[in-house]
Amino acid sequence: MFNTAEELLRLCQSQKISIGRVALETEIKSSGSSESELMDKMRGILTVMRESSSAGLTGEIKSLSGLTGGNAYLMNIYSEEGITYCGKAVNKAIARAFSSSEVNSAMGRIAAAPTAGSCGILPAVIMTASEIFPTSDENILLSLFTASAIGAIIAHSATLSGAEGGCQAECGAATAMSAAAAVELAGGTPEMSLHAGAIALKCILGLVCDPVAGLVEIPCSKRNAMGAVNALSAADMALAGVISLIPFDEVVTAMAKIGKTLPCELKETAQGGLAATPTGRKIAKKILG
Amino acid sequence: MGKHFGAFDILGPVMIGPSSSHTAGAAKLGKIASQIGIGPIQKVTFQLHGSFATTGRGHGTDKALLAGVLGFTPDDERLKQSFEIAQERGIQFTFEETDLGDVHPNTVRFILEMENGTLNTLTGSSIGGSNILITELDGEEVEFTGVYPTLITRHPDRPGIITSVTAILARMKVNVAFMKVFRISRGEMSNMVLETDSLVPPEALREIEKLDYIERVILIHPVI
């Protein structure tokens, strides 16, 4: 059992196994289910992630409110163009993150990861990482267990709720989870995964939750896209040997404290930030009457 | 904070978007409401309170609530078409904005008119994530989460009745996880809510129904 990154790393090192393996073994013990049952359960989630992250690439998806949509489609076309700043893989990850977000706001089926509002980040990173570093489905499932371990540590010591901690809690957790999983899929060590998680979370600290009209659309879908890019770049940094001098557990504690300090207007109440801009208010009036 | 989280507390649920509280939680509430009456539903009125009333439509709360009443789970893609499906099935529905008083901001009260002429009500809240809490059944206080199979019995407030119900459960090897008794006032009627680890088998339900003084038994299947 682990509740902190320090405990998790100790288990990985003493048993010489990956974070994903530790998370799976822990789940076997705590749930009483078998390994194959848990892998099947995770496969159900992976299947939904595959669908949600690809649905918007080939056709435009419009949200229930009609406010947003079609960005996954645009980015997918753009990703195929020869010369871009971010390159094909990263642009494709952006397209995929948009896709799940768009499916979510169009009342389609998604897997919360860790929340519905941040559901685009992990699928985009996992699909992109496993395309760049081709691997078995079993390893992809284990990387989802890795992501879950990082999320569990954040949930234990901070929060995953935008209403409690702002966007840094939702998209922040998702980006840290994704960075750690991406490192594992690339063959990095558990230590590197935790550095990647720490770096990714550090870069989103303080981000507020200020959804226009209270809907999971503006700016959520863009933050999902940026969360995926942030995760991939943090993973690359860690794989290159860059470390986070502030350990993962301390970054998580900082996130929790920042979340408590944020005023209520900036925690999912749609009263501050982008929601309170003239345009944000105008949209809210139009949607909510 | 403090609790250990499992892998599937973090990843999942698989659900229809966009909001775990306003869509998935709403569908769960509807699914609980679909189980309280006898026979088919003819009409349902949704009294929406707080955030369910103000931001509900943009989150598909109305569609999800109705989908739940139609028996759909929170991951069912038919959530989006619930209005059309209800119309096809001849079920009438209306939504009202209401002030239900000092309750959770995401609260709904269902008024269900059954084809057999009976009227049932249920109040519940979506309390975070997609977790829900039911607080009222047919005008009387109850409390349960829908995570476990839930048995609700209505009977007079007098000694021995609780034991006779739990004795049947014990014989059928049904373990009670949580139990609460709500009496309206001393010596009057009361509701007992039993959340169990396994589903109460039909034969146990029939035995409980036959017990003296038991006025009504409702079995609610868990919604996950």
Side-chain angles (χ1 to χ4, degrees):
Chain A
M1 184 95 99
F2 60 90
N3 284 318
T4 64
E6 205 183 320
E7 289 165 0
L8 174 62
L9 190 60
R10 214 177 301 135
L11 288 171
C12 292
Q13 287 168 342
S14 66
Q15 298 174 45
K16 297 196 169 41
I17 52 177
S18 67
I19 294 179
R21 211 10 100 178
V22 169
L24 177 58
E25 305 280 338
T26 306
E27 195 66 23
I28 291 170
K29 274 187 211 137
S30 64
S31 69
S33 303
S34 70
E35 177 171 334
S36 68
E37 282 167 346
L38 293 171
M39 289 292 262
D40 280 348
K41 200 170 172 187
M42 197 58 100
R43 192 171 289 115
I45 287 176
L46 177 61
T47 304
V48 174
M49 287 182 165
R50 280 203 168 110
E51 288 166 3
S52 71
S53 63
S54 60
L57 303 184
T58 47
E60 286 189 36
I61 297 176
K62 273 278 167 211
S63 67
L64 184 64
S65 69
L67 277 178
T68 59
N71 290 337
Y73 183 67
L74 288 179
M75 283 308 297
N76 189 48
I77 293 172
Y78 181 74
S79 73
E80 300 294 337
E81 284 181 15
I83 301 169
T84 65
Y85 285 118
C86 292
K88 185 174 172 177
V90 171
N91 282 323
K92 197 96 175 173
I94 294 174
R96 286 176 169 137
F98 270 137
S99 176
S100 296
S101 280
E102 288 169 3
V103 167
N104 185 49
S105 47
M107 287 193 87
R109 189 189 284 133
I110 56 95
T115 61
S118 59
C119 74
I121 299 172
L122 185 59
V125 170
I126 294 290
M127 297 315 141
T128 303
S130 59
E131 211 167 68
I132 298 171
F133 297 97
T135 185
S136 65
D137 254 21
E138 194 193 329
N139 281 338
I140 299 177
L141 295 174
L142 280 172
S143 79
L144 289 177
F145 277 100
T146 302
S148 79
I150 301 300
I153 292 165
I154 299 173
H156 174 81
S157 297
T159 172
L160 302 175
S161 145
E164 275 183 75
C167 192
Q168 56 159 9
E170 295 203 24
C171 286
T175 196
M177 288 158 60
S178 305
V183 167
E184 192 166 300
L185 283 170
T189 64
E191 218 166 357
M192 285 176 179
S193 277
L194 290 170
H195 281 303
I199 293 167
L201 187 56
K202 273 155 82 170
C203 295
I204 203 168
L205 281 184
L207 192 61
V208 302
C209 179
D210 51 354
V212 169
L215 301 176
V216 195
E217 294 191 47
I218 306 169
C220 316
S221 67
K222 309 267 173 30
R223 287 182 183 164
N224 271 266
M226 290 310 297
V229 178
N230 184 42
L232 290 169
S233 64
D236 262 340
M237 284 186 229
L239 288 163
V242 174
I243 61 164
S244 170
L245 283 174
I246 312 289
F248 185 78
D249 289 323
E250 292 183 31
V251 179
V252 173
T253 311
M255 188 269 265
K257 283 186 182 158
I258 294 168
K260 287 203 174 80
T261 324
L262 287 176
C264 144
E265 286 75 21
L266 300 173
K267 287 191 277 198
E268 218 182 312
T269 53
Q271 290 169 349
L274 295 170
T277 56
T279 305
R281 286 192 197 282
K282 210 187 291 167
I283 291 170
K285 198 158 180 233
K286 202 174 100 193
I287 297 287
L288 308 172
Chain B
M1 182 162 164
K3 158 180 181 238
H4 172 78
F5 289 82
F8 300 100
D9 295 324
I10 306 300
L11 296 184
V14 169
M15 54 168 271
I16 300 302
S19 161
S20 51
S21 57
H22 284 65
T23 321
K28 281 189 188 176
L29 288 166
K31 182 116 168 118
I32 300 274
S34 76
Q35 302 180 60
I36 61 167
I38 297 165
I41 297 164
Q42 190 171 46
K43 187 180 174 198
V44 52
T45 304
F46 301 89
Q47 297 184 319
L48 306 173
H49 170 92
S51 166
F52 263 19
T54 52
T55 70
R57 200 171 305 144
H59 289 113
T61 304
D62 46 2
K63 291 186 166 84
L65 286 168
L66 182 60
V69 170
L70 296 174
F72 301 157
T73 50
D75 64 343
D76 194 316
E77 283 184 314
R78 289 173 294 178
L79 243 70
K80 204 176 172 176
Q81 285 96 37
S82 65
F83 282 25
E84 293 79 3
I85 296 168
Q87 276 155 3
E88 278 164 25
R89 292 190 188 174
I91 297 171
Q92 302 165 48
F93 55 93
T94 50
F95 295 89
E96 295 171 357
E97 288 188 18
T98 329
D99 184 355
L100 294 171
D102 185 21
V103 293
H104 189 281
N106 299 332
T107 298
V108 57
R109 183 160 186 262
F110 300 86
I111 303 169
L112 300 148
E113 293 169 41
M114 313 306 287
E115 273 182 18
N116 66 10
T118 56
L119 199 76
N120 294 102
T121 65
L122 181 95
T123 304
S125 310
S126 183
I127 56 169
S130 61
N131 301 309
I132 59 166
L133 188 69
I134 306 297
T135 52
E136 176 258 330
L137 172 66
D138 292 340
E140 292 166 6
E141 184 191 5
V142 292
E143 200 178 282
F144 62 96
T145 61
V147 172
Y148 299 88
T150 305
L151 186 76
I152 305 169
T153 57
R154 189 170 192 275
H155 44 74
D157 172 36
R158 67 174 66 175
I161 298 175
I162 295 170
T163 315
S164 49
V165 172
T166 53
I168 294 170
L169 295 179
R171 192 150 32 80
M172 303 280 177
K173 301 210 167 3
V174 174
N175 187 49
V176 175
F178 302 98
M179 171 176 165
K180 263 189 183 171
V181 184
F182 302 83
R183 73 173 173 203
I184 293 132
S185 64
R186 189 169 178 165
E188 297 286 315
M189 293 306 284
S190 64
N191 284 295
M192 173 162 66
V193 178
L194 295 154
E195 296 178 276
T196 57
D197 284 326
S198 55
L199 204 58
V200 178
E203 58 266 34
L205 208 59
R206 278 194 294 273
E207 268 193 58
I208 294 168
E209 277 168 348
K210 280 192 208 134
L211 287 173
D212 285 346
Y213 306 118
I214 295 283
E215 191 183 272
R216 183 193 62 192
V217 183
I218 298 176
L219 178 64
I220 291 173
H221 293 246
V223 281
I224 299 170

